[in-house]
Amino acid sequence: MTIEIKTSTLEPVRNTYEHIKRRFGDKPASRYQEASYDVAPTHNFHYRPYWEPDRELNDPRRTAIVMQDWYAHRDPRQYYYGAYVQARAKLQEITEANYAFFDKRGLGERMDEAVRARVIRCLVPLRHAELGANMNNVFSSAYGVATVITQAFLYNGMDRLGIAQYLSRIGLLLDGNSGASLASAKEYWMTDPVWQGMRRYIENVLVLKDWFEVFIAQDVVLDTLVYDLMYRQFDEVLTELDGGDIAMLTEFMKEWHKDTSRWVDAVMKTCIAESDHNRETIGSWVQDWREKAVTDLSPLAEIAVGEGALNESVDILNKRLAKVGLNS
Amino acid sequence: MSPKKLSLKEKYSLLTRDLEWEYSYRDYKEIFPQEEFEGIKITDWSKWEDPFRLTMDAYWKYQAEKEKKLYAIFDAFAQNNGQLNVADARYVNAVKLFLTGVSPLEYQAYSGFAQVGRQFGGVGARVACQMQSLDELRHVQTQIHAMSHYNKFFDGLSEFNHMHDRVWYLSVPKSFFDDARSAGPFEYMVAIGFSFEYVLTNLLFVPFMSGAAYNGDMATVTFGFSAQSDEARHMTLGLEIIKFLLEQHPDNVPIVQRWINKWFWRGTRVLTLVAMMMDYMLPNRVMSWKEAFEVYFEEAGGALFKDLARYGIEMPVYAETAIAEKEHLSHQAWSIFYNYTHAAAFHTWMPNEREMDWLSEKYPNTFDRYYRARFEHWREMERAGERFYNPTLPMLCQTCQIPMGFTEMDNPTLIAYRQSVFQGERYNFCSDGCKDIFDHEPQKYVQSWLPVHQIFQGNCGGAEMEDVLAGYYRMNLGTDNLDFHGSPDEQRWNHWHNLQTAAEQMKKAS
Ligand SMILES: [Fe+2]
Ligand SMILES: [Fe+2]
Ligand SMILES: [Zn+2]
């Protein structure tokens, strides 16, 4: 039941800002709308950037994707800053409880040596890949178009830093807080043949100039594959090996990926529906990066899960792409 | 195996700095292509001292708590019609200036810190900048939300972003930030992280936020308090970048000094808007601009530069000029805006007798001598029904884009003009500082999108002023602009408080 509290009613002169009214009509607006639409500067930039003199400061030509109006996008989660930090604070609270439980029960010490070694070799090195994902998403936030898109890239980028930190804490829980597991994981990341493909892939994305291609290579192709491979399939492997306790520590990643996928799919759908040009451009990027990913991830997939694992993940990727309007 | 306790520093280092690796499939320079072109020499990013150690989980938690409290106040403010409690409706014009002039800069800061948060080769610096980027996004969005309620009851706020990209006086703050963002990553950090967020921030936020507190604006003041801990982080980052650059290589010192000179001057020009806000737009005065400048720049800044002397850094070159200007700045700026209010999206007015006396008291060396008589004359004209508006278009400074209305400091009756010739064209400046900035990077500043030039060239909606103001700027003429007296803002305010304007009283009496 809602109780209506009477306050002296004054008639407002207008319901919302004019640019919000032009988009959504003359009615009170949501906080998401006011915070996200038509906020980025669009006109009359004063100087060409020293770092890219043939472009304006904010320039839609930094990607091959063309939208008549980039504000056609909408984040289904309706994250503006306040909503975003509230959502993450909730998720981290649950995560914190899980980590504390794992620690208190000494589950790390009780873990089978072989399982521990497998986690350190196959999961913990992902912390470096997550740092790459952080940089890639911040890149798209910095050079992308329209707040409704770029703010979500920043949230995503910071999320990836958070995930890199959780993965590091998994290492610390497994090595009695000595940091030894993190040192081994880094060694794997740098020299183990199992990880070199993944590292090469990330470094290749870090040099891209088109922010939407970065998004495709990182958030669409690589993340779909890796999150299925590591947080579903590898998880099942660990459970079989009696290492299911780890799942408690990767709950955040799973929940996060579900959450972010809603946004990733929405971006894809809107861009693909806009024009054939966009669909074809995105299609060719997807093909290109999926091919690279299959080569680059297969050693890891085989060691972490086993033969055929990557194919399963690729199937999932393809289904996801079909859903947003991209048939292979 | 008993877990050993890692120190906070060790743990943060493992959770952040240790994530970095040495690239081998791609070249470092391909990944960080902007690191060298400014001439700054970085020999070792690992020497970067983390200015704050905040992991993401802690960030989410603290910031979410702050947001929860902040939005509870916003809701209460709206529900209780908090706008009725401001000192008087003139105050809201400070809010208008803030939303159209400053909030879009918070957005630019979000973008700028995201740029450098990707471009720096050191993970410690990147992550600190990314967090500031996220904070700045918070600031622009919470400001839009805080002022959303004012927008429902007052004019001049509803096209804030459209105006920021176009209106003549808003090109002053816009070009300031465009300038920083179009520079390289290190200059950006000296410009915004250090000069703005560290040296000058107290001259921007303290006046607005205490202005809000003194004038009953709960929404803005709550935002101000809530942003304080963000700003504390930003200040430590600004100081760290300076120390880091100066310690990395002696060749960096002269480059950094030149940037400090430039950005101090650029910054003080932008603060002109704050100066007039403090001295003229707040019904309840906090302190004078002159006093604020003395406390926050001369004292605090003086101590800071004494501290930086050991690196070979000196006081910004034009600090002396800025100190002399503190006696004049707000009066000259308010004169300009009083003259051109028909082309502005906020109201101006002449101070009443009590306010004039306050100005005389706060500015014993200048107000009575140079300004009071002029202002009293304008007030007389208004009383006679001939409120003065200047129908011409002013000439703008090529660098700071403020109308050429500032005077020589040794002769406050003489407008200052400086000129430079570049590739056969003549360019005008308001000051030596602005001329020097131009002369060092003329190719950059010839590009300035000068609003008055653009109007003359026909790029702003047409030849008639009405085309420009109503069409291109989207100003509601007769509503957003002109004197406060007689404005719809004033009428509504009086209506809510059952007050009568002088004009209505006269009508009734007769
Ligand atoms: Fe800010
Ligand atoms: Fe700040
Ligand atoms: Zn100037």
Side-chain angles (χ1 to χ4, degrees):
Chain A
M1 194 183 89
T2 51
I3 302 163
E4 222 181 309
I5 305 164
K6 276 261 174 271
T7 52
S8 63
T9 39
L10 296 182
E11 270 314 299
V13 190
R14 57 184 73 75
N15 285 311
T16 183
Y17 298 111
E18 285 298 313
H19 49 276
I20 303 298
K21 178 177 147 190
R22 282 193 287 274
R23 287 189 182 277
F24 303 106
D26 193 3
K27 55 186 180 203
S30 71
R31 290 221 158 105
Y32 174 69
Q33 288 170 337
E34 286 194 346
S36 312
Y37 286 86
D38 300 300
V39 185
T42 50
H43 284 73
N44 306 330
F45 296 100
H46 290 272
Y47 325 99
R48 292 299 178 100
Y50 281 146
W51 35 270
E52 206 175 21
D54 56 338
R55 292 277 182 265
E56 297 281 4
L57 257 176
N58 291 36
D59 198 320
R61 293 170 299 171
R62 288 204 177 90
T63 175
I65 298 301
V66 181
M67 292 289 298
Q68 209 198 343
D69 174 17
W70 278 96
Y71 286 101
H73 286 272
R74 178 178 169 278
D75 183 345
R77 307 164 303 177
Q78 305 206 36
Y79 282 167
Y80 57 98
Y81 180 92
Y84 162 72
V85 290
Q86 302 284 355
R88 288 297 170 267
K90 242 182 243 156
L91 203 48
Q92 79 82 30
E93 206 182 303
I94 302 164
T95 309
E96 212 44 56
N98 286 348
Y99 277 61
F101 181 87
F102 190 96
D103 193 25
K104 205 173 103 198
R105 294 290 172 93
L107 300 182
E109 289 150 49
R110 296 220 307 258
M111 188 165 290
D112 177 74
E113 230 10 86
V115 176
R116 183 205 313 276
R118 191 142 172 181
V119 171
I120 292 172
R121 186 175 180 198
C122 298
L123 186 70
V124 181
L126 268 180
R127 63 202 275 268
H128 302 292
E130 290 291 343
L131 183 74
N134 157 269
M135 293 165 73
N136 286 327
N137 277 283
V138 171
F139 180 88
S140 299
S141 187
Y143 303 104
V145 184
T147 316
V148 74
I149 298 267
T150 60
Q151 68 176 338
F153 276 121
L154 186 60
Y155 305 147
N156 231 15
M158 302 318 281
D159 287 339
R160 309 311 288 266
L161 178 63
I163 291 170
Q165 291 173 339
Y166 281 132
L167 286 164
S168 307
R169 284 176 61 189
I170 293 177
L172 292 174
L173 282 171
L174 295 184
D175 68 14
N177 251 332
S178 68
S181 70
L182 300 184
S184 321
K186 192 169 201 173
E187 189 61 30
Y188 289 132
W189 175 253
M190 292 309 290
T191 58
D192 187 348
V194 162
W195 280 100
Q196 295 319 293
M198 170 82 120
R199 184 156 73 83
R200 181 174 55 228
Y201 187 102
I202 295 273
E203 290 187 21
N204 281 333
V205 181
L206 283 171
V207 304
L208 294 180
K209 294 281 175 275
D210 184 311
W211 62 270
F212 204 95
E213 185 179 3
V214 171
F215 165 71
I216 296 294
Q218 174 72 57
D219 296 347
V220 177
V221 175
L222 186 66
D223 288 350
T224 308
L225 298 176
V226 169
Y227 274 71
D228 177 68
L229 197 63
M230 300 313 296
Y231 299 114
R232 186 180 65 85
Q233 300 195 54
F234 182 62
D235 217 59
E236 287 167 8
V237 170
L238 289 179
T239 307
E240 269 167 41
L241 297 174
D242 224 13
D245 292 340
I246 290 289
M248 202 186 299
L249 305 179
T250 53
E251 191 64 29
F252 183 97
M253 290 71 148
K254 286 170 241 172
E255 286 304 312
W256 171 80
H257 194 247
K258 252 189 253 164
D259 181 80
T260 198
S261 294
R262 293 174 61 205
W263 170 70
V264 169
D265 288 348
V267 173
M268 291 282 280
K269 233 185 212 162
T270 307
C271 284
I272 289 167
E274 173 89 356
S275 66
D276 287 347
H277 163 82
N278 285 355
R279 189 171 31 78
E280 283 155 22
T281 310
I282 292 173
S284 82
W285 280 332
V286 164
Q287 227 169 27
D288 191 21
W289 288 99
R290 183 174 47 201
E291 198 180 301
K292 287 193 177 99
V294 167
T295 314
D296 288 345
L297 292 185
S298 50
L300 175 65
E302 235 161 83
I303 293 292
V305 185
E307 221 168 311
L310 192 56
N311 284 342
E312 259 187 59
S313 301
V314 171
D315 276 349
I316 285 180
L317 171 63
N318 289 343
K319 274 185 200 136
R320 189 174 174 191
L321 293 167
K323 255 197 194 156
V324 297
L326 211 62
N327 289 305
S328 40
Chain B
M1 194 159 61
S2 70
K4 103 179 163 164
K5 264 269 181 249
L6 289 166
S7 75
L8 196 67
K9 190 175 172 179
E10 287 169 319
K11 191 163 178 195
Y12 184 78
S13 172
L14 282 174
L15 295 190
T16 303
R17 305 281 289 261
D18 190 51
L19 299 172
E20 184 84 295
W21 72 94
E22 223 170 285
Y23 307 98
S24 61
Y25 296 100
R26 288 299 189 145
D27 199 37
Y28 178 91
K29 285 184 192 172
E30 273 184 291
I31 294 176
F32 303 111
Q34 297 183 13
E35 212 169 279
E36 281 181 355
F37 78 89
E38 298 172 273
I40 287 289
K41 292 179 181 153
I42 302 296
T43 53
D44 185 2
W45 271 112
S46 76
K47 292 277 165 23
W48 173 267
E49 283 283 342
D50 295 311
F52 44 84
R53 299 192 187 97
L54 201 53
T55 48
M56 280 316 294
D57 55 345
Y59 181 91
W60 291 322
K61 195 173 152 192
Y62 295 140
Q63 299 297 103
E65 277 164 19
K66 279 161 49 178
E67 288 300 77
K68 213 164 140 190
K69 288 182 197 150
L70 180 60
Y71 280 91
I73 304 272
F74 289 172
D75 288 341
F77 182 81
Q79 189 150 42
N80 301 323
N81 283 309
Q83 82 279 9
L84 293 175
N85 298 328
V86 300
D88 78 51
R90 291 181 302 167
Y91 165 74
V92 181
N93 291 285
V95 173
K96 298 176 192 182
L97 195 57
F98 195 87
L99 186 67
T100 55
V102 180
S103 301
L105 302 189
E106 303 274 16
Y107 191 85
Q108 291 234 46
Y110 142 68
S111 303
F113 280 96
Q115 289 169 216
V116 297
R118 169 60 185 81
Q119 293 297 342
F120 284 142
V123 61
R126 274 203 313 273
V127 163
C129 291
Q130 291 171 6
M131 253 180 222
Q132 177 156 358
S133 172
L134 189 55
D135 288 343
E136 303 295 2
L137 182 63
R138 170 183 195 231
H139 296 171
V140 61
Q141 294 186 327
T142 47
Q143 286 163 22
I144 290 171
H145 290 153
M147 293 166 196
S148 171
H149 186 71
Y150 283 108
N151 174 55
K152 292 177 177 160
F153 292 93
F154 295 90
D155 300 317
L157 295 145
S158 65
E159 290 280 13
F160 71 94
N161 223 38
H162 179 86
M163 287 183 179
H164 188 78
D165 276 352
R166 293 164 181 83
V167 175
W168 58 280
Y169 54 93
L170 297 174
S171 80
V172 175
K174 178 178 164 91
S175 67
F176 170 86
F177 235 105
D178 277 10
D179 193 348
R181 226 158 40 94
S182 56
F186 294 110
E187 183 177 351
Y188 174 84
M189 284 304 286
V190 172
I192 305 304
F194 177 70
S195 304
F196 200 63
E197 294 270 346
Y198 195 91
V199 184
L200 298 176
T201 188
N202 283 333
L203 282 167
L204 178 61
F205 286 98
V206 176
F208 271 108
M209 298 313 150
S210 9
Y214 273 59
N215 288 278
D217 174 2
M218 269 304 283
T220 306
V221 89
T222 312
F223 160 76
F225 274 121
S226 187
Q228 239 168 23
S229 52
D230 303 346
E231 293 309 337
R233 282 198 298 273
H234 303 171
M235 289 180 79
T236 58
L237 172 56
L239 196 56
E240 171 56 23
I241 188 78
I242 282 292
K243 290 189 169 165
F244 177 73
L245 290 181
L246 297 173
E247 281 168 7
Q248 281 290 302
H249 203 285
D251 289 357
N252 294 343
V253 178
I255 302 177
V256 169
Q257 178 74 58
R258 193 174 58 69
W259 285 339
I260 290 176
N261 294 344
K262 168 179 169 180
W263 287 98
F264 169 77
W265 188 251
R266 231 36 195 95
T268 52
R269 276 297 182 246
V270 170
L271 291 178
T272 302
L273 298 173
V274 184
M276 72 170 198
M277 188 279 297
M278 283 187 88
D279 285 345
Y280 288 89
M281 298 174 80
L282 297 179
N284 297 329
R285 308 291 204 262
V286 179
M287 53 162 60
S288 68
W289 167 254
K290 177 168 170 271
E291 289 164 331
F293 196 79
E294 284 162 357
V295 175
Y296 296 116
F297 180 69
E298 292 177 54
E299 284 172 31
L304 167 70
F305 281 98
K306 224 174 253 164
D307 190 45
L308 291 176
R310 68 196 148 109
Y311 297 107
I313 288 294
E314 294 165 3
M315 213 44 177
V317 172
Y318 292 106
E320 282 309 314
T321 314
I323 290 169
E325 282 190 348
K326 73 186 175 194
E327 298 266 11
H328 298 277
L329 198 65
S330 64
H331 319 306
Q332 297 185 355
W334 190 245
S335 299
I336 294 172
F337 278 93
Y338 186 81
N339 272 244
Y340 293 107
T341 305
H342 53 298
F346 61 90
H347 304 299
T348 59
W349 54 86
M350 269 299 119
N352 61 32
E353 202 55 30
R354 187 178 50 83
E355 290 163 347
M356 293 257 197
D357 290 345
W358 182 86
L359 289 162
S360 298
E361 184 201 318
K362 292 294 181 184
Y363 292 94
N365 304 323
T366 53
F367 189 70
D368 285 351
R369 213 165 142 197
Y370 300 108
Y371 304 103
R372 187 160 183 151
R374 188 198 306 170
F375 287 180
E376 283 171 350
H377 175 64
W378 281 338
R379 203 170 57 189
E380 285 317 307
M381 287 177 73
E382 188 198 331
R383 281 187 187 147
E386 289 164 24
R387 203 281 194 193
F388 175 68
Y389 292 109
N390 189 332
T392 64
L393 289 181
M395 183 191 278
L396 305 179
C397 170
Q398 185 74 26
T399 304
C400 73
Q401 313 208 4
I402 296 178
M404 306 275 282
F406 295 121
T407 63
E408 302 292 353
M409 280 305 111
D410 51 11
N411 182 359
T413 57
L414 186 68
I415 301 284
Y417 279 102
R418 300 290 181 276
Q419 292 196 325
S420 286
V421 174
F422 178 68
Q423 293 178 337
E425 289 277 340
R426 193 177 294 280
Y427 296 93
N428 303 298
F429 310 98
C430 72
S431 56
D432 294 324
C434 283
K435 176 177 154 58
D436 280 1
I437 291 170
F438 176 93
D439 287 345
H440 200 267
E441 296 167 273
Q443 285 94 343
K444 181 167 202 177
Y445 296 100
V446 295
Q447 302 172 59
S448 301
W449 191 91
L450 291 182
V452 173
H453 257 69
Q454 297 294 329
I455 292 171
F456 282 133
Q457 287 173 10
N459 296 332
C460 301
E464 298 299 320
M465 270 322 274
E466 201 174 322
D467 299 333
V468 176
L469 299 177
Y472 190 67
Y473 289 175
R474 290 188 183 149
M475 235 169 238
N476 293 310
L477 299 184
T479 303
D480 295 343
N481 62 345
L482 302 180
D483 201 282
F484 174 73
H485 298 296
S487 67
D489 267 9
E490 185 194 37
Q491 285 163 11
R492 274 192 298 270
W493 177 262
N494 289 341
H495 174 71
W496 297 333
H497 291 84
N498 298 316
L499 298 174
Q500 290 176 328
T501 60
E504 283 165 348
Q505 284 169 8
M506 296 258 287
K507 226 190 266 169
K508 273 198 186 147
S510 65

